[in-house]
Amino acid sequence: MPFQESGSILSSLDGWRRTHHCADLSQDNLSQEVCLMGWVQYRRDHGGLIFIDLRDREGLTQIVFSPEYNQKAHEEAHCLRSEYVLALKGMVRRRPEGMENPKLPTGHIEVVVLKWKLLNTSKTPPFLIEDRIDVSENLRLQYRYLDIRRHTLGNNLKLRHKVAQSVRNFLNEQSFYELETPVLTKSTPEGARDFIVPSRLNKGEFFALPQSPQLFKQLLMVGGLERYYQIVHCFRDEDLRADRQPEFTQIDLELSFTEEEEIMELTEGMIARMVYDTLGITLDRPFKRMTYDQAIEKYGSDRPDTRFDLHLTEVTDIVKNSGFRLFAKAKLVKAMRVPQGAILTRKEIDDLTEYVKVFGAQGLAWIKIKESEWQSPIAKFLSEEEKSGLQERLELTSGDIVFFQAGSPNVVNDALGNLRIKLGERFELIPANIFHFSWITDFPLLEWDKEEKRWMACHHPFTSPKEEHIDLLESNPEKVQARAYDLVVNGHEIGGGSIRIHRPELQSKMFERLGIEAEEAQEKFGFLLEALQYGAPPHGGIAFGFDRIIMILSGAKSIREVIAFPKTQKGTCLLTEAPTKLSNKQLRELGIRLHDGNKGG
Ligand code: ASP
């Protein structure tokens, strides 16, 4: 490097301290001497002056190197390139007229450099560090630290921090203890596959990473601590969908001597506080309540998007003798009227038909309601009586379209429920920037697993049945309702919890109902059954998907946009290249031999 004072890379800041962040400066600071530190976003040479946009975590400030102020500093600034790191001392001045940038908070000022120091150089980054970016996500994940420099991502992580602080403040005020639970542990059944860690000290034995702290938080209640929470990593080895990660974060809490009402009220307060603290929005409270049956009936989904008004209506009784065979023989027929939907083209309807097939539907019946006639491939099969029945129940008017699904309840609800969202988007019925929260209650306790041919817990096996339904566990398991509740916002489930079983006999009975033999129950959950016998208090809790909440509050499209170092869809980390092979030495130490074709490295 040809220069001494500024320009050569310095290993220390030499006592320089930053006085402001790059977003702080405005016309209130005119003529002040400031010290800024950050990265070069852009450099432009103009008529003897060098301009850079200096970026730090908070924002951008325009910097000017002018030979009039310091000739040497100006000369040396020719070396600056994108992402070089520098510290500078300079004077805040008004930008010349016509040079303001009203889009930037600091757009009316610039800092003219008196002295500067180069703190580091940078290779040319593989993509420009800009808010709007058009490169593959894989490249962004590989260079995640550069991606994080972009304010869009940086601000999502800032929001994440703020939400965590708000939650902590709220729960601390409510006398909760923040406690950790083990990461190396035993399987907790939350319905997914476990991640497994081999034990070197106990060869042939394995830990599981927690799918949630469920059992430990219950044990803390048995331990008499009364109120616990944790912002905690959980691990589920699932095939990944858009808003799933193998390693994700929950706001997990549990309390004793409590019932559903208190937990819902309390955590509603936590959510309202978090939304207010971070976005300044006051939510309407109390949140809407809906039973599981009502949600399925009206929206076809137990996580309904209630921001818009398309509804499903059952019409099985009207078409039970229909000339349209598919309707006549179906267990359930539901219709959805879309006001003014008759403008949909044949091509659009064909696309929607393909879309519902993803949810198991065989096709999509529809009728366009026109002044003089009903246009539809199925209209000719419907009697006058059916038509007037539909007309009355669905309150049809000219210009509407009605979609139908007929068949098994699961498919009908799933297909129409998803179609509802699609049409909400198509007709722009979903208002942006509002949050509609609802509690969903009265869930079934159990569902029949066709493949395993046994009853499974809908929530988890520690959820209490309603007291008045306990007797039905044997005779009518499908009728038993759980003391469980979910919180839904804008069509996303963001939290779920329950009142737990706190009596050992009922817990054993539940295991039995789930087809878990006494011996297996003892082996897997003996410690819980034992603990419940020592005066376990009534208790319950809930867990919220922290990543999902941040995604919704930030308006991000995927949870990968709100996690600092997320995994890919294939569950890998492109930055560190994990997972990796183990050396033969490590494998030997663990007592593990791999199958052929799957050798260690
Ligand atoms: N452990 C449950 C879950 O992870 C939440 C709860 O019941 O508190 O979904």
Side-chain angles (χ1 to χ4, degrees), residues 448-455:
W448 181 249
D449 188 312
K450 274 195 214 134
E451 272 162 36
E452 297 217 5
K453 297 205 173 45
R454 65 179 183 97
W455 292 97

Side-chain angles (χ1 to χ4, degrees), residues 408-445:
S408 78
N410 281 350
V411 172
V412 168
N413 285 314
D414 215 19
L416 276 187
N418 281 291
L419 181 67
R420 174 178 178 271
I421 304 293
K422 199 78 175 165
L423 291 168
E425 286 162 5
R426 162 67 180 80
F427 288 100
E428 295 177 6
L429 303 175
I430 310 179
N433 304 326
I434 63 165
F435 299 110
H436 266 218
F437 285 90
S438 341
W439 287 106
I440 314 294
T441 60
D442 301 76
F443 281 88
L445 182 75

Side-chain angles (χ1 to χ4, degrees), residues 68-82:
E68 275 175 37
Y69 278 76
N70 182 337
Q71 176 129 27
K72 192 151 168 268
H74 168 258
E75 227 165 72
E76 291 168 355
H78 284 288
C79 82
L80 289 171
R81 299 285 178 273
S82 284

Side-chain angles (χ1 to χ4, degrees), residues 190 212 214 217 236 250 252 459-460 496-498 500 541-543:
E190 296 279 2
S212 84
Q214 184 60 36
K217 65 175 174 173
R236 298 185 190 177
Q250 284 189 345
D252 191 49
H459 189 49
H460 51 54
S498 60
R500 326 297 183 189
I542 190 165

Side-chain angles (χ1 to χ4, degrees), residues 207-255:
F207 293 103
L209 301 183
Q211 292 188 32
S212 84
Q214 184 60 36
L215 294 173
F216 286 106
K217 65 175 174 173
Q218 291 191 234
L219 295 177
L220 290 174
M221 296 304 105
V222 181
L225 294 186
E226 297 189 12
R227 291 186 163 207
Y228 136 97
Y229 80 95
Q230 181 176 197
I231 300 182
V232 60
H233 266 222
C234 301
F235 306 86
R236 298 185 190 177
D237 190 3
E238 307 180 281
D239 293 334
L240 304 180
R241 287 189 253 133
D243 57 354
R244 293 264 165 101
Q245 282 277 304
E247 175 180 2
F248 60 97
T249 308
Q250 284 189 345
I251 305 166
D252 191 49
L253 55 101
E254 194 77 7
L255 47 161

Side-chain angles (χ1 to χ4, degrees), residues 333-360:
V333 185
K334 278 179 134 178
M336 180 168 58
R337 163 186 170 240
V338 185
Q340 300 310 307
I343 54 166
L344 286 175
T345 63
R346 200 53 199 250
K347 162 90 176 64
E348 281 179 296
I349 296 176
D350 288 347
D351 290 347
L352 294 173
T353 308
E354 284 310 307
Y355 178 69
V356 292
K357 287 184 183 166
V358 177
F359 307 97

